[in-house]
Amino acid sequence: MLYKNSVNKNSDSLNETEFEMIRYICKRDKRSLIEVSSYLNVDKSLVTRMCKKLTKLGYIEIKNDPNDSRKKNIYATNKALSIKDKVANEEIDFYNGF
């Protein structure tokens, strides 16, 4: 938590919940809105609002599920993967020097 608080303030205006959402999505090929909502323990409408912001910033893409047009899947972009890796390495360096 100490590291997240010191770094997230400089990550393209991402708040802690948005950053955690990116980290969660990056762990798999895709996530559904319901999975993200359940993981973050927030309402689906909040996830939808965060998705709009993260899409605009280029961190995620949202696509219809090929098997169910009512379902939306969230995919991490290369920008999301690079920030996740960058912050993970910075976190390791932070705690090694702490």
Side-chain angles (χ1 to χ4, degrees):
M1 203 58 148
L2 175 65
Y3 177 76
K4 280 202 229 177
N5 290 336
S6 68
V7 169
N8 282 348
K9 296 187 182 3
N10 299 322
S11 299
D12 289 332
S13 303
L14 297 180
N15 65 37
E16 189 172 319
T17 307
E18 293 162 344
F19 183 73
E20 189 59 34
M21 180 175 162
I22 289 172
R23 287 175 57 139
Y24 181 66
I25 294 167
C26 287
K27 289 180 182 179
R28 291 177 61 198
D29 181 41
K30 65 182 179 186
R31 298 285 184 170
S32 72
L33 291 172
I34 294 170
E35 287 176 310
V36 174
S37 175
S38 177
Y39 173 75
L40 296 174
N41 197 28
V42 297
D43 189 68
K44 285 191 303 183
S45 63
L46 177 58
V47 173
T48 300
R49 288 192 303 274
M50 289 190 304
C51 283
K52 286 180 183 180
K53 177 182 177 181
L54 295 175
T55 299
K56 187 176 180 179
L57 291 173
Y59 288 108
I60 63 170
E61 293 179 348
I62 301 173
K63 299 179 184 174
N64 288 331
D65 189 294
N67 301 322
D68 184 354
S69 63
R70 296 170 296 168
K71 186 177 176 184
K72 305 282 186 192
N73 290 318
I74 307 168
Y75 298 85
T77 63
N78 288 335
K79 184 176 180 180
L81 295 170
S82 69
I83 192 172
K84 180 193 115 336
D85 293 339
K86 177 183 173 218
V87 172
N89 290 335
E90 289 176 1
E91 187 173 3
I92 291 168
D93 292 343
F94 176 84
Y95 284 113
N96 284 338
F98 195 61

